[in-house]
Amino acid sequence: MNVTQSIIRKATPEDASQIFELYKTVSKNIGGLARTENEITRAYVENFSNKSFENGLQFVVIDPLNEQEIIAEIHCYQLEPGVFKHILSELTVAVHPEYQGKGLGKQLFQALLGDVQLNRPDILRVELIARESNIKAIQLYENLGFKIEGRFENRINNGNNSFEADIPMAWFPSKIR
Ligand SMILES: CC(C)(COP(=O)(O)OP(=O)(O)OC[C@H]1O[C@@H](n2cnc3c(N)ncnc32)[C@H](O)[C@@H]1OP(=O)(O)O)[C@@H](O)C(=O)NCCC(=O)NCCS
């Protein structure tokens, strides 16, 4: 599938329905998103979108050749306690399975981190957590400058009495801003 025509832009409240459909599709493949398909609800999507509009960032990729369909999304936002106000947290990224491995995830991160670097001097840290087996994602995050900060042993329950570690990672803007 050709993604050279795809467009990255900030999300709007009107995108919620399409983002919901995207997350439903991406969550069908086990091993990526933490939530399973039946845990992706409209309330979940509206909640993270609203928080991202209020104090965080949310970008989408649209495919202009396919009726403006949203094919990828990234978001993160500030947590409520004042002590965490310099952090963008709860970062989640999802690329439609048919469009994965074509550079869209990397481009979404570059848009988000570039915006933080330029326009959010209040943000000193962007954090995320990825399951240890999601090697492709962890490699991408490291290439983007995220640092592995530790290891949450047995944090992910894969069912059938099988658990795996979750890997906390963080990115820091450069001091020249
Ligand atoms: C993880 C995810 C966001 C990455 O986005 P993507 O668009 O597929 O990744 P990109 O095409 O931007 O690739 C980024 C890097 O990973 C590499 N990569 C891509 N597909 C790969 C594959 N199948 N195997 C190994 N490396 C791969 C690319 O080479 C690229 O590295 P480079 O910049 O050095 O060339 C996306 O695959 C996804 O949505 N997965 C399901 C949900 C998920 O896991 N979310 C993250 C939860 S923490």
Side-chain angles (χ1 to χ4, degrees):
M1 205 151 299
N2 186 1
V3 295
T4 52
Q5 307 272 343
S6 58
I7 295 167
I8 296 186
R9 63 160 171 77
K10 283 205 169 155
T12 70
E14 290 70 43
D15 293 330
S17 243
Q18 278 209 55
I19 294 172
F20 168 72
E21 296 301 336
L22 171 69
Y23 270 65
K24 278 274 180 202
T25 303
V26 174
S27 63
K28 284 187 171 72
N29 294 334
I30 309 295
L33 297 175
R35 284 179 185 244
T36 56
E37 190 184 354
N38 62 356
E39 291 169 336
I40 304 289
T41 61
R42 287 182 191 276
Y44 162 66
V45 172
E46 278 165 19
N47 181 49
F48 73 59
S49 297
N50 288 338
K51 286 179 170 166
S52 303
F53 296 142
E54 275 166 29
N55 61 39
L57 291 169
Q58 186 179 35
F59 288 87
V60 291
V61 180
I62 59 170
D63 181 355
L65 302 178
N66 191 6
E67 297 182 344
Q68 310 285 316
E69 186 193 356
I70 290 177
I71 53 176
E73 187 266 1
I74 192 169
H75 67 266
C76 54
Y77 52 84
Q78 290 167 313
L79 301 174
E80 270 182 26
V83 293
F84 298 135
K85 286 299 179 204
H86 60 294
I87 302 171
L88 287 178
S89 193
E90 301 290 320
L91 190 150
T92 308
V93 57
V95 179
H96 189 290
E98 288 174 20
Y99 296 83
Q100 288 177 12
K102 298 173 187 294
L104 296 182
K106 184 177 176 179
Q107 286 175 48
L108 274 174
F109 266 96
Q110 287 171 336
L112 187 142
L113 299 177
D115 203 5
V116 171
Q117 182 70 42
L118 277 178
N119 303 317
R120 295 294 299 266
D122 57 320
I123 297 302
L124 305 179
R125 173 184 169 90
V126 178
E127 62 186 22
L128 58 80
I129 311 178
R131 70 177 78 201
E132 192 170 40
S133 60
N134 200 349
I135 294 165
K136 183 178 78 168
I138 291 173
Q139 188 64 56
L140 166 62
Y141 306 154
E142 282 193 302
N143 289 345
L144 288 159
F146 281 80
K147 302 273 180 263
I148 292 178
E149 295 194 309
R151 183 185 158 86
F152 297 151
E153 198 65 50
N154 285 352
R155 187 159 187 264
I156 299 282
N157 183 351
N158 285 322
N160 298 324
N161 220 17
S162 152
F163 295 82
E164 69 170 294
D166 230 359
I167 307 298
M169 302 181 75
W171 174 90
F172 304 89
S174 81
K175 290 197 169 64
I176 306 158
R177 309 174 93 175

